[in-house]
PDB file of all heavy atoms in Angstrom:
ATOM      1  N   GLU A  15     135.529 122.036-151.747  1.00  0.00           N
ATOM      2  CA  GLU A  15     136.005 120.803-151.115  1.00  0.00           C
ATOM      3  C   GLU A  15     137.487 120.846-150.762  1.00  0.00           C
ATOM      4  O   GLU A  15     138.029 119.886-150.209  1.00  0.00           O
ATOM      5  CB  GLU A  15     135.726 119.603-152.016  1.00  0.00           C
ATOM      6  CG  GLU A  15     136.495 119.631-153.320  1.00  0.00           C
ATOM      7  CD  GLU A  15     136.195 118.425-154.206  1.00  0.00           C
ATOM      8  OE1 GLU A  15     135.109 117.846-154.105  1.00  0.00           O
ATOM      9  OE2 GLU A  15     137.082 118.074-155.003  1.00  0.00           O
ATOM     10  N   HIS A  16     138.151 121.944-151.044  1.00  0.00           N
ATOM     11  CA  HIS A  16     139.594 122.040-150.808  1.00  0.00           C
ATOM     12  C   HIS A  16     139.921 122.959-149.640  1.00  0.00           C
ATOM     13  O   HIS A  16     139.160 123.874-149.314  1.00  0.00           O
ATOM     14  CB  HIS A  16     140.303 122.556-152.066  1.00  0.00           C
ATOM     15  CG  HIS A  16     140.188 121.611-153.211  1.00  0.00           C
ATOM     16  ND1 HIS A  16     139.315 121.813-154.247  1.00  0.00           N
ATOM     17  CD2 HIS A  16     140.823 120.445-153.470  1.00  0.00           C
ATOM     18  CE1 HIS A  16     139.419 120.807-155.107  1.00  0.00           C
ATOM     19  NE2 HIS A  16     140.323 119.964-154.650  1.00  0.00           N
ATOM     20  N   LEU A  17     141.074 122.712-149.048  1.00  0.00           N
ATOM     21  CA  LEU A  17     141.626 123.587-148.019  1.00  0.00           C
ATOM     22  C   LEU A  17     142.850 124.275-148.603  1.00  0.00           C
ATOM     23  O   LEU A  17     143.698 123.619-149.217  1.00  0.00           O
ATOM     24  CB  LEU A  17     142.016 122.784-146.780  1.00  0.00           C
ATOM     25  CG  LEU A  17     140.897 122.072-146.049  1.00  0.00           C
ATOM     26  CD1 LEU A  17     141.451 121.296-144.859  1.00  0.00           C
ATOM     27  CD2 LEU A  17     139.833 123.055-145.591  1.00  0.00           C
ATOM     28  N   HIS A  18     142.904 125.564-148.414  1.00  0.00           N
ATOM     29  CA  HIS A  18     144.031 126.351-148.918  1.00  0.00           C
ATOM     30  C   HIS A  18     144.700 127.078-147.761  1.00  0.00           C
ATOM     31  O   HIS A  18     144.010 127.572-146.855  1.00  0.00           O
ATOM     32  CB  HIS A  18     143.558 127.402-149.934  1.00  0.00           C
ATOM     33  CG  HIS A  18     142.936 126.832-151.155  1.00  0.00           C
ATOM     34  ND1 HIS A  18     143.672 126.374-152.209  1.00  0.00           N
ATOM     35  CD2 HIS A  18     141.636 126.640-151.487  1.00  0.00           C
ATOM     36  CE1 HIS A  18     142.853 125.927-153.152  1.00  0.00           C
ATOM     37  NE2 HIS A  18     141.604 126.068-152.734  1.00  0.00           N
ATOM     38  N   PRO A  19     146.020 127.205-147.791  1.00  0.00           N
ATOM     39  CA  PRO A  19     146.687 128.015-146.770  1.00  0.00           C
ATOM     40  C   PRO A  19     146.363 129.484-147.006  1.00  0.00           C
ATOM     41  O   PRO A  19     146.263 129.937-148.148  1.00  0.00           O
ATOM     42  CB  PRO A  19     148.166 127.732-146.993  1.00  0.00           C
ATOM     43  CG  PRO A  19     148.268 127.213-148.382  1.00  0.00           C
ATOM     44  CD  PRO A  19     146.952 126.592-148.722  1.00  0.00           C
ATOM     45  N   THR A  20     146.181 130.211-145.926  1.00  0.00           N
ATOM     46  CA  THR A  20     145.951 131.643-146.025  1.00  0.00           C
ATOM     47  C   THR A  20     147.299 132.355-146.083  1.00  0.00           C
ATOM     48  O   THR A  20     148.350 131.742-145.855  1.00  0.00           O
ATOM     49  CB  THR A  20     145.162 132.154-144.809  1.00  0.00           C
ATOM     50  OG1 THR A  20     145.968 131.944-143.640  1.00  0.00           O
ATOM     51  CG2 THR A  20     143.810 131.459-144.674  1.00  0.00           C
ATOM     52  N   ALA A  21     147.252 133.651-146.351  1.00  0.00           N
ATOM     53  CA  ALA A  21     148.485 134.441-146.319  1.00  0.00           C
ATOM     54  C   ALA A  21     149.108 134.363-144.926  1.00  0.00           C
ATOM     55  O   ALA A  21     150.331 134.239-144.790  1.00  0.00           O
ATOM     56  CB  ALA A  21     148.196 135.884-146.709  1.00  0.00           C
ATOM     57  N   ALA A  22     148.270 134.405-143.901  1.00  0.00           N
ATOM     58  CA  ALA A  22     148.784 134.300-142.522  1.00  0.00           C
ATOM     59  C   ALA A  22     149.450 132.950-142.291  1.00  0.00           C
ATOM     60  O   ALA A  22     150.483 132.870-141.613  1.00  0.00           O
ATOM     61  CB  ALA A  22     147.652 134.516-141.524  1.00  0.00           C
ATOM     62  N   GLY A  23     148.893 131.888-142.856  1.00  0.00           N
ATOM     63  CA  GLY A  23     149.494 130.561-142.729  1.00  0.00           C
ATOM     64  C   GLY A  23     150.846 130.493-143.414  1.00  0.00           C
ATOM     65  O   GLY A  23     151.813 129.947-142.866  1.00  0.00           O
ATOM     66  N   ARG A  24     150.915 131.064-144.603  1.00  0.00           N
ATOM     67  CA  ARG A  24     152.184 131.083-145.336  1.00  0.00           C
ATOM     68  C   ARG A  24     153.230 131.920-144.595  1.00  0.00           C
ATOM     69  O   ARG A  24     154.401 131.544-144.502  1.00  0.00           O
ATOM     70  CB  ARG A  24     151.980 131.617-146.749  1.00  0.00           C
ATOM     71  CG  ARG A  24     151.213 130.667-147.647  1.00  0.00           C
ATOM     72  CD  ARG A  24     151.021 131.269-149.054  1.00  0.00           C
ATOM     73  NE  ARG A  24     150.166 130.433-149.845  1.00  0.00           N
ATOM     74  CZ  ARG A  24     150.550 129.309-150.458  1.00  0.00           C
ATOM     75  NH1 ARG A  24     151.785 128.909-150.356  1.00  0.00           N
ATOM     76  NH2 ARG A  24     149.694 128.604-151.165  1.00  0.00           N
ATOM     77  N   GLU A  25     152.797 133.055-144.061  1.00  0.00           N
ATOM     78  CA  GLU A  25     153.718 133.921-143.318  1.00  0.00           C
ATOM     79  C   GLU A  25     154.227 133.219-142.059  1.00  0.00           C
ATOM     80  O   GLU A  25     155.403 133.351-141.706  1.00  0.00           O
ATOM     81  CB  GLU A  25     153.028 135.237-142.952  1.00  0.00           C
ATOM     82  CG  GLU A  25     152.781 136.140-144.145  1.00  0.00           C
ATOM     83  CD  GLU A  25     151.851 137.307-143.840  1.00  0.00           C
ATOM     84  OE1 GLU A  25     151.548 137.555-142.644  1.00  0.00           O
ATOM     85  OE2 GLU A  25     151.427 137.972-144.800  1.00  0.00           O
ATOM     86  N   LEU A  26     153.360 132.483-141.400  1.00  0.00           N
ATOM     87  CA  LEU A  26     153.752 131.766-140.191  1.00  0.00           C
ATOM     88  C   LEU A  26     154.816 130.720-140.498  1.00  0.00           C
ATOM     89  O   LEU A  26     155.849 130.646-139.809  1.00  0.00           O
ATOM     90  CB  LEU A  26     152.538 131.112-139.542  1.00  0.00           C
ATOM     91  CG  LEU A  26     152.832 130.237-138.324  1.00  0.00           C
ATOM     92  CD1 LEU A  26     153.381 131.065-137.177  1.00  0.00           C
ATOM     93  CD2 LEU A  26     151.593 129.505-137.891  1.00  0.00           C
ATOM     94  N   ILE A  27     154.586 129.929-141.519  1.00  0.00           N
ATOM     95  CA  ILE A  27     155.566 128.899-141.885  1.00  0.00           C
ATOM     96  C   ILE A  27     156.879 129.544-142.317  1.00  0.00           C
ATOM     97  O   ILE A  27     157.968 129.047-141.972  1.00  0.00           O
ATOM     98  CB  ILE A  27     154.995 127.957-142.970  1.00  0.00           C
ATOM     99  CG1 ILE A  27     153.850 127.123-142.403  1.00  0.00           C
ATOM    100  CG2 ILE A  27     156.088 127.072-143.571  1.00  0.00           C
ATOM    101  CD1 ILE A  27     154.234 126.202-141.241  1.00  0.00           C
ATOM    102  N   ALA A  28     156.813 130.662-143.037  1.00  0.00           N
ATOM    103  CA  ALA A  28     158.030 131.372-143.434  1.00  0.00           C
ATOM    104  C   ALA A  28     158.770 131.903-142.205  1.00  0.00           C
ATOM    105  O   ALA A  28     160.010 131.811-142.130  1.00  0.00           O
ATOM    106  CB  ALA A  28     157.690 132.509-144.392  1.00  0.00           C
ATOM    107  N   ALA A  29     158.039 132.435-141.234  1.00  0.00           N
ATOM    108  CA  ALA A  29     158.673 132.962-140.018  1.00  0.00           C
ATOM    109  C   ALA A  29     159.332 131.852-139.222  1.00  0.00           C
ATOM    110  O   ALA A  29     160.457 132.017-138.723  1.00  0.00           O
ATOM    111  CB  ALA A  29     157.629 133.695-139.170  1.00  0.00           C
ATOM    112  N   VAL A  30     158.650 130.712-139.103  1.00  0.00           N
ATOM    113  CA  VAL A  30     159.227 129.568-138.386  1.00  0.00           C
ATOM    114  C   VAL A  30     160.486 129.095-139.110  1.00  0.00           C
ATOM    115  O   VAL A  30     161.510 128.814-138.484  1.00  0.00           O
ATOM    116  CB  VAL A  30     158.194 128.431-138.230  1.00  0.00           C
ATOM    117  CG1 VAL A  30     158.855 127.140-137.776  1.00  0.00           C
ATOM    118  CG2 VAL A  30     157.087 128.843-137.261  1.00  0.00           C
ATOM    119  N   GLY A  31     160.422 129.020-140.433  1.00  0.00           N
ATOM    120  CA  GLY A  31     161.594 128.610-141.214  1.00  0.00           C
ATOM    121  C   GLY A  31     162.763 129.568-141.038  1.00  0.00           C
ATOM    122  O   GLY A  31     163.908 129.126-140.872  1.00  0.00           O
ATOM    123  N   ALA A  32     162.483 130.861-141.045  1.00  0.00           N
ATOM    124  CA  ALA A  32     163.542 131.847-140.863  1.00  0.00           C
ATOM    125  C   ALA A  32     164.148 131.753-139.466  1.00  0.00           C
ATOM    126  O   ALA A  32     165.365 131.916-139.298  1.00  0.00           O
ATOM    127  CB  ALA A  32     162.987 133.254-141.108  1.00  0.00           C
ATOM    128  N   GLU A  33     163.326 131.478-138.482  1.00  0.00           N
ATOM    129  CA  GLU A  33     163.808 131.383-137.106  1.00  0.00           C
ATOM    130  C   GLU A  33     164.607 130.103-136.865  1.00  0.00           C
ATOM    131  O   GLU A  33     165.557 130.103-136.092  1.00  0.00           O
ATOM    132  CB  GLU A  33     162.615 131.455-136.157  1.00  0.00           C
ATOM    133  CG  GLU A  33     162.967 131.861-134.761  1.00  0.00           C
ATOM    134  CD  GLU A  33     161.751 132.168-133.917  1.00  0.00           C
ATOM    135  OE1 GLU A  33     160.748 132.697-134.432  1.00  0.00           O
ATOM    136  OE2 GLU A  33     161.820 131.859-132.711  1.00  0.00           O
ATOM    137  N   THR A  34     164.210 129.017-137.521  1.00  0.00           N
ATOM    138  CA  THR A  34     164.910 127.749-137.300  1.00  0.00           C
ATOM    139  C   THR A  34     166.127 127.572-138.203  1.00  0.00           C
ATOM    140  O   THR A  34     166.988 126.738-137.896  1.00  0.00           O
ATOM    141  CB  THR A  34     163.961 126.546-137.494  1.00  0.00           C
ATOM    142  OG1 THR A  34     163.401 126.588-138.804  1.00  0.00           O
ATOM    143  CG2 THR A  34     162.869 126.531-136.444  1.00  0.00           C
ATOM    144  N   ALA A  35     166.233 128.339-139.277  1.00  0.00           N
ATOM    145  CA  ALA A  35     167.347 128.173-140.218  1.00  0.00           C
ATOM    146  C   ALA A  35     168.722 128.294-139.551  1.00  0.00           C
ATOM    147  O   ALA A  35     169.585 127.429-139.756  1.00  0.00           O
ATOM    148  CB  ALA A  35     167.220 129.143-141.386  1.00  0.00           C
ATOM    149  N   PRO A  36     168.971 129.326-138.740  1.00  0.00           N
ATOM    150  CA  PRO A  36     170.308 129.405-138.136  1.00  0.00           C
ATOM    151  C   PRO A  36     170.561 128.288-137.124  1.00  0.00           C
ATOM    152  O   PRO A  36     171.693 127.813-136.987  1.00  0.00           O
ATOM    153  CB  PRO A  36     170.347 130.782-137.471  1.00  0.00           C
ATOM    154  CG  PRO A  36     168.949 131.280-137.434  1.00  0.00           C
ATOM    155  CD  PRO A  36     168.170 130.504-138.448  1.00  0.00           C
ATOM    156  N   VAL A  37     169.522 127.847-136.444  1.00  0.00           N
ATOM    157  CA  VAL A  37     169.665 126.744-135.497  1.00  0.00           C
ATOM    158  C   VAL A  37     169.996 125.460-136.263  1.00  0.00           C
ATOM    159  O   VAL A  37     170.897 124.701-135.884  1.00  0.00           O
ATOM    160  CB  VAL A  37     168.386 126.569-134.650  1.00  0.00           C
ATOM    161  CG1 VAL A  37     168.481 125.364-133.744  1.00  0.00           C
ATOM    162  CG2 VAL A  37     168.086 127.828-133.856  1.00  0.00           C
ATOM    163  N   SER A  38     169.263 125.222-137.349  1.00  0.00           N
ATOM    164  CA  SER A  38     169.534 124.038-138.181  1.00  0.00           C
ATOM    165  C   SER A  38     170.955 124.071-138.726  1.00  0.00           C
ATOM    166  O   SER A  38     171.635 123.034-138.776  1.00  0.00           O
ATOM    167  CB  SER A  38     168.535 123.963-139.334  1.00  0.00           C
ATOM    168  OG  SER A  38     167.248 123.703-138.848  1.00  0.00           O
ATOM    169  N   ALA A  39     171.406 125.251-139.114  1.00  0.00           N
ATOM    170  CA  ALA A  39     172.773 125.369-139.630  1.00  0.00           C
ATOM    171  C   ALA A  39     173.790 125.005-138.554  1.00  0.00           C
ATOM    172  O   ALA A  39     174.793 124.343-138.843  1.00  0.00           O
ATOM    173  CB  ALA A  39     173.013 126.785-140.149  1.00  0.00           C
ATOM    174  N   ARG A  40     173.522 125.407-137.311  1.00  0.00           N
ATOM    175  CA  ARG A  40     174.442 125.057-136.228  1.00  0.00           C
ATOM    176  C   ARG A  40     174.395 123.557-135.926  1.00  0.00           C
ATOM    177  O   ARG A  40     175.418 122.937-135.643  1.00  0.00           O
ATOM    178  CB  ARG A  40     174.109 125.856-134.964  1.00  0.00           C
ATOM    179  CG  ARG A  40     174.499 127.321-135.052  1.00  0.00           C
ATOM    180  CD  ARG A  40     174.422 128.026-133.710  1.00  0.00           C
ATOM    181  NE  ARG A  40     173.093 128.040-133.111  1.00  0.00           N
ATOM    182  CZ  ARG A  40     172.164 128.963-133.352  1.00  0.00           C
ATOM    183  NH1 ARG A  40     172.395 129.933-134.225  1.00  0.00           N
ATOM    184  NH2 ARG A  40     170.999 128.912-132.730  1.00  0.00           N
ATOM    185  N   ILE A  41     173.214 122.969-135.998  1.00  0.00           N
ATOM    186  CA  ILE A  41     173.069 121.541-135.702  1.00  0.00           C
ATOM    187  C   ILE A  41     173.711 120.683-136.795  1.00  0.00           C
ATOM    188  O   ILE A  41     174.445 119.740-136.510  1.00  0.00           O
ATOM    189  CB  ILE A  41     171.580 121.175-135.518  1.00  0.00           C
ATOM    190  CG1 ILE A  41     171.046 121.823-134.227  1.00  0.00           C
ATOM    191  CG2 ILE A  41     171.390 119.661-135.498  1.00  0.00           C
ATOM    192  CD1 ILE A  41     169.530 121.736-134.069  1.00  0.00           C
ATOM    193  N   TRP A  42     173.437 121.014-138.049  1.00  0.00           N
ATOM    194  CA  TRP A  42     173.895 120.188-139.167  1.00  0.00           C
ATOM    195  C   TRP A  42     175.245 120.616-139.733  1.00  0.00           C
ATOM    196  O   TRP A  42     175.904 119.838-140.427  1.00  0.00           O
ATOM    197  CB  TRP A  42     172.853 120.213-140.291  1.00  0.00           C
ATOM    198  CG  TRP A  42     171.608 119.481-139.922  1.00  0.00           C
ATOM    199  CD1 TRP A  42     170.492 119.996-139.328  1.00  0.00           C
ATOM    200  CD2 TRP A  42     171.358 118.091-140.089  1.00  0.00           C
ATOM    201  NE1 TRP A  42     169.561 119.010-139.125  1.00  0.00           N
ATOM    202  CE2 TRP A  42     170.057 117.834-139.583  1.00  0.00           C
ATOM    203  CE3 TRP A  42     172.090 117.042-140.616  1.00  0.00           C
ATOM    204  CZ2 TRP A  42     169.489 116.561-139.597  1.00  0.00           C
ATOM    205  CZ3 TRP A  42     171.520 115.780-140.637  1.00  0.00           C
ATOM    206  CH2 TRP A  42     170.243 115.555-140.128  1.00  0.00           C
ATOM    207  N   GLY A  43     175.654 121.843-139.443  1.00  0.00           N
ATOM    208  CA  GLY A  43     176.890 122.376-140.020  1.00  0.00           C
ATOM    209  C   GLY A  43     178.114 121.566-139.638  1.00  0.00           C
ATOM    210  O   GLY A  43     178.241 121.068-138.521  1.00  0.00           O
ATOM    211  N   GLY A  44     179.013 121.425-140.573  1.00  0.00           N
ATOM    212  CA  GLY A  44     180.272 120.760-140.310  1.00  0.00           C
ATOM    213  C   GLY A  44     180.233 119.241-140.377  1.00  0.00           C
ATOM    214  O   GLY A  44     181.265 118.593-140.212  1.00  0.00           O
ATOM    215  N   ILE A  45     179.065 118.668-140.596  1.00  0.00           N
ATOM    216  CA  ILE A  45     178.997 117.211-140.753  1.00  0.00           C
ATOM    217  C   ILE A  45     179.420 116.897-142.188  1.00  0.00           C
ATOM    218  O   ILE A  45     178.855 117.439-143.138  1.00  0.00           O
ATOM    219  CB  ILE A  45     177.576 116.673-140.463  1.00  0.00           C
ATOM    220  CG1 ILE A  45     177.162 117.005-139.030  1.00  0.00           C
ATOM    221  CG2 ILE A  45     177.516 115.168-140.716  1.00  0.00           C
ATOM    222  CD1 ILE A  45     175.718 116.660-138.699  1.00  0.00           C
ATOM    223  N   PRO A  46     180.409 116.034-142.355  1.00  0.00           N
ATOM    224  CA  PRO A  46     180.888 115.722-143.713  1.00  0.00           C
ATOM    225  C   PRO A  46     179.772 115.188-144.611  1.00  0.00           C
ATOM    226  O   PRO A  46     178.900 114.431-144.166  1.00  0.00           O
ATOM    227  CB  PRO A  46     181.964 114.653-143.490  1.00  0.00           C
ATOM    228  CG  PRO A  46     182.405 114.856-142.070  1.00  0.00           C
ATOM    229  CD  PRO A  46     181.169 115.326-141.330  1.00  0.00           C
ATOM    230  N   ALA A  47     179.822 115.577-145.868  1.00  0.00           N
ATOM    231  CA  ALA A  47     178.801 115.180-146.840  1.00  0.00           C
ATOM    232  C   ALA A  47     178.664 113.656-146.918  1.00  0.00           C
ATOM    233  O   ALA A  47     177.546 113.143-147.034  1.00  0.00           O
ATOM    234  CB  ALA A  47     179.121 115.760-148.220  1.00  0.00           C
ATOM    235  N   GLU A  48     179.768 112.946-146.837  1.00  0.00           N
ATOM    236  CA  GLU A  48     179.685 111.486-146.941  1.00  0.00           C
ATOM    237  C   GLU A  48     178.975 110.886-145.713  1.00  0.00           C
ATOM    238  O   GLU A  48     178.280 109.884-145.830  1.00  0.00           O
ATOM    239  CB  GLU A  48     181.057 110.835-147.157  1.00  0.00           C
ATOM    240  CG  GLU A  48     182.070 111.096-146.068  1.00  0.00           C
ATOM    241  CD  GLU A  48     182.898 112.380-146.244  1.00  0.00           C
ATOM    242  OE1 GLU A  48     182.594 113.197-147.123  1.00  0.00           O
ATOM    243  OE2 GLU A  48     183.858 112.544-145.471  1.00  0.00           O
ATOM    244  N   ASP A  49     179.132 111.511-144.564  1.00  0.00           N
ATOM    245  CA  ASP A  49     178.408 111.053-143.372  1.00  0.00           C
ATOM    246  C   ASP A  49     176.916 111.321-143.519  1.00  0.00           C
ATOM    247  O   ASP A  49     176.083 110.486-143.147  1.00  0.00           O
ATOM    248  CB  ASP A  49     178.931 111.735-142.108  1.00  0.00           C
ATOM    249  CG  ASP A  49     180.320 111.269-141.709  1.00  0.00           C
ATOM    250  OD1 ASP A  49     180.812 110.268-142.290  1.00  0.00           O
ATOM    251  OD2 ASP A  49     180.915 111.905-140.822  1.00  0.00           O
ATOM    252  N   LEU A  50     176.579 112.488-144.040  1.00  0.00           N
ATOM    253  CA  LEU A  50     175.165 112.805-144.261  1.00  0.00           C
ATOM    254  C   LEU A  50     174.546 111.857-145.275  1.00  0.00           C
ATOM    255  O   LEU A  50     173.405 111.410-145.106  1.00  0.00           O
ATOM    256  CB  LEU A  50     175.004 114.261-144.715  1.00  0.00           C
ATOM    257  CG  LEU A  50     175.344 115.315-143.663  1.00  0.00           C
ATOM    258  CD1 LEU A  50     175.308 116.707-144.284  1.00  0.00           C
ATOM    259  CD2 LEU A  50     174.404 115.227-142.474  1.00  0.00           C
ATOM    260  N   ALA A  51     175.292 111.532-146.318  1.00  0.00           N
ATOM    261  CA  ALA A  51     174.786 110.604-147.333  1.00  0.00           C
ATOM    262  C   ALA A  51     174.562 109.216-146.728  1.00  0.00           C
ATOM    263  O   ALA A  51     173.529 108.573-146.974  1.00  0.00           O
ATOM    264  CB  ALA A  51     175.738 110.534-148.524  1.00  0.00           C
ATOM    265  N   ALA A  52     175.508 108.744-145.928  1.00  0.00           N
ATOM    266  CA  ALA A  52     175.363 107.425-145.297  1.00  0.00           C
ATOM    267  C   ALA A  52     174.180 107.427-144.334  1.00  0.00           C
ATOM    268  O   ALA A  52     173.371 106.494-144.327  1.00  0.00           O
ATOM    269  CB  ALA A  52     176.648 107.046-144.566  1.00  0.00           C
TER     270      ALA A  52
END
């Protein structure tokens, strides 16, 4: 009755995360912590 991610599913999400990490860093980088908290 359960659905489980396959190794391919896990690898896909990891690849997407690795590809988006530097973009996210550029988008969010340099924003002051207090601004992010607010």
Side-chain angles (χ1 to χ4, degrees):
E15 65 180 27
H16 296 103
L17 297 179
H18 297 278
T20 63
R24 290 179 187 281
E25 289 168 11
L26 175 65
I27 292 299
V30 167
E33 201 170 325
T34 57
V37 176
S38 292
R40 287 192 299 273
I41 291 170
W42 290 91
I45 300 173
E48 60 273 9
D49 289 349
L50 292 173

